[in-house]
Amino acid sequence: MSTTPGPAGSTPQSPVGIDELLERVRAGYERVEAREAYEAAQAGDALLVDIRYAALRERDGLIPGAHVVERNELEWRLDPQGSHRLPEATSHALRVVVICNEGYASSLAAQSLHQLGLHRATDLVGGFQAWRGAGLPVE
C-alpha cells in the first residue's frame, strides 16, 4: 500500500483522489447557489471573485461587479494582511464567493481561503455556467 508522507513526526497518510478531496473540502462550508450569490452581492454582503482563466472570460463574458483574480494570485489578493490585497479585502470576516467555470476549482480555492482565516469564503455551485444558466447578468 502506497502512502503519502505527512508532516515531520506524523504517521503517513493514504493518498486521496480528487473526488474524495472535493467531498471533504465541501463538507467544511456551505456552498451557495447562483441566485443567492447574486442577491448577496447586490446587497453588498458578498464579494464575487471570478478565477476563470482569460480564454473562458473572453468566450463567455463577465459577471458585472465581480473581481477577476487569476487563481494563482487569489490568496495574495484576498489576504487582509497581505501587501498585494484588493482594496476590499480588509477583514477576515469578508464573505467571498469564488467562481470558476463549473464549480470544481472554486471549491479548492475557497478551502485555501479558509486556511488564510477567511472563514466566510465559499464557492458557487455550478460556477459561471450555473450563473449564466440562471439568467443572471453577464456582460
Side-chain angles (χ1 to χ4, degrees), residues 40-97:
Q42 292 298 306
D45 293 333
L47 182 71
L48 303 180
V49 178
D50 186 344
I51 63 167
R52 293 175 301 142
Y53 54 89
L56 289 176
R57 294 191 311 267
E58 291 168 10
R59 182 189 79 189
D60 294 336
L62 299 169
I63 295 172
H67 293 269
V68 173
V69 177
E70 297 287 339
R71 174 61 190 99
N72 64 331
E73 297 178 356
L74 184 69
E75 292 81 0
W76 283 268
R77 304 292 284 151
L78 291 173
D79 178 4
Q81 300 172 344
S83 59
H84 299 293
R85 68 175 175 79
L86 290 173
E88 295 82 0
T90 59
S91 167
H92 285 95
L94 180 65
R95 184 176 186 201
V96 176
V97 178

Side-chain angles (χ1 to χ4, degrees), residues 11-12 20 32 36 46 48 53 61-62 79 82 111-112 114 119 135-136:
T11 306
E20 184 178 343
V32 297
E36 180 183 352
L48 303 180
Y53 54 89
L62 299 169
D79 178 4
Q111 174 61 23
S112 181
H114 278 244
H119 298 291
L136 295 169

